[in-house]
Structures are given as structure tokens and as C-alpha cells.
Amino acid sequence: MSSIDPRHSLFPERLRKLLDGLYLGAGWLAGVFLIMIFVIMLSLSAGRPLGIDVPAGDDFASWCMAATAFLALAHTFRSAELIRMGLLIDRFSGTLRRLIEIACTTIGAVAVIYFAWYAIDMTWVSWKFNDVSMGVIAVPLWIPQIGMSAGLAILAIAFVDELLHLLFGGVPRYQKPKVESPDEIVQRVMESGV
């Protein structure tokens, strides 16, 4: 197995930019849905005292919340912001740690591909049978299900991308480098919003 420079990508520069753009775009779209939740909730809260009803506002807010959560996953994964349980893996180094990282990423990729497959299938079946919501406003269910399906599909791509990167000698990009000074600890705490 040949080794590559761990700072570089296995993929050509154009494909790397496309994939990174896909992850970033999904993150931005998740942010748009987060703003939509804010607008809907503000409309619901401000509308009550004024006697203004927002039909199915709770339904739309919950669909936006699901889209926000799933679309943000790939960007969060690639930004090394997902919560990792490093208690065990951090005790190892060298080849053994590398093999554990590859095994964990493989298990993660298989799990995410499985969930993405069934989410896409669920969305397809909803579209095929024209399932609609049971709320005040009948909305075809495939529309709100797209956020979950797309988010899981993009996360599956990110996991496969990372697995290939690891298999060809790259260092994990889903974890931040170890902290080397007290100033870095303070910086990390400030970045995390703690």
C-alpha cells in the first residue's frame, strides 16, 4: 500500500474542491433551515398575542429542525466537531492506532450508508405513493424527508471519502491535532462556545 502526504488528498484537486464544497454547502443549507426555525417560532410567538395564526407552524418548524440536524452532519464531521470517544483509541499510537482508526471509520461508513439507503428508500416510497402529512396543511411527505435523506447521503460520501484517505496513508481529518500549549486550550474552549 503506497503512502501519500497526509496533508494532501487522494483525489484530484477539482474533485477535492467539489467534495469540500458539497460538505460546506450542506452546512450552509443547515444554517438556512436553522434561520427558518427562528422565523417560524418567532411568528408563532408574536402571532398569538396579535391573534395571528400560523397554520401548521409546528409541523414546518419540526421539519426544518430535522433538515438542520441531518444536513449539518457531514460538515460537522469534516470540521472535526463531532463528539468522539477517544478514551480507548488515544491510548494507542503507530500502526495499531491507524488500524483502529480505519476499523472505526469502516464501521461508521457501513452504518451511515445503511441509514442513508433506507432514508432514501423511505423518501422514494413517500413520493411514489404520494403520502401526505396529516396536519392542517397537507404537504407531500417526500418534501420534508429530503433533508434527512440528503444529509445522510452527504455524510455517507464524507465517510467513504475519509476512509479512502485513511486507507491510502492519510492522517484522520475528522479529529483536531493535539493541544500543545495552554493558549491552544483556551482557544479551543472559546471556539466551542463553552
Side-chain angles (χ1 to χ4, degrees):
M1 179 167 31
S2 67
S3 179
I4 61 169
D5 184 347
R7 296 168 303 203
H8 289 53
S9 173
L10 167 71
F11 300 116
E13 188 175 337
R14 275 184 115 174
L15 183 56
R16 175 80 271 138
K17 283 185 179 183
L18 179 71
L19 289 171
D20 289 343
L22 176 67
Y23 309 142
L24 182 63
W28 277 99
L29 192 55
V32 169
F33 278 107
L34 188 62
I35 292 169
M36 289 172 62
I37 294 169
F38 170 73
V39 170
I40 292 168
M41 297 307 291
L42 189 62
S43 300
L44 288 170
S45 298
R48 284 190 186 110
L50 299 174
I52 300 170
D53 183 32
V54 179
D58 293 337
D59 291 340
F60 287 107
S62 63
W63 293 330
C64 288
M65 191 177 309
T68 298
F70 284 98
L71 287 169
L73 287 173
H75 178 66
T76 306
F77 173 66
R78 284 304 304 266
S79 300
E81 296 295 338
L82 281 181
I83 296 171
R84 292 184 71 231
M85 296 300 291
L87 292 174
L88 178 65
I89 199 167
D90 286 344
R91 297 180 187 274
F92 299 102
S93 62
T95 304
L96 182 58
R97 180 179 177 128
R98 179 173 161 60
L99 292 173
I100 293 171
E101 292 279 5
I102 290 171
C104 290
T105 306
T106 301
I107 292 167
V110 168
V112 172
I113 290 168
Y114 175 82
F115 288 122
W117 175 267
Y118 282 99
I120 292 167
D121 183 58
M122 177 186 67
T123 304
W124 172 257
V125 168
S126 293
W127 177 78
K128 185 177 175 183
F129 292 111
N130 199 26
D131 287 342
V132 293
S133 65
M134 303 294 277
V136 176
I137 299 175
V139 175
L141 283 177
W142 64 268
I143 295 172
Q145 290 170 350
I146 285 177
M148 179 179 70
S149 299
L152 285 170
I154 295 168
L155 181 62
I157 292 168
F159 261 92
V160 171
D161 175 13
E162 190 64 26
L163 179 59
L164 290 173
H165 178 74
L166 291 173
L167 286 172
F168 284 91
V171 296
R173 295 175 292 194
Y174 51 77
Q175 67 185 22
K176 292 185 177 182
K178 291 199 179 292
V179 177
E180 296 186 14
S181 72
D183 291 337
E184 285 184 61
I185 294 172
V186 171
Q187 183 66 30
R188 292 245 180 112
V189 169
M190 290 173 56
E191 287 175 358
S192 69
V194 175

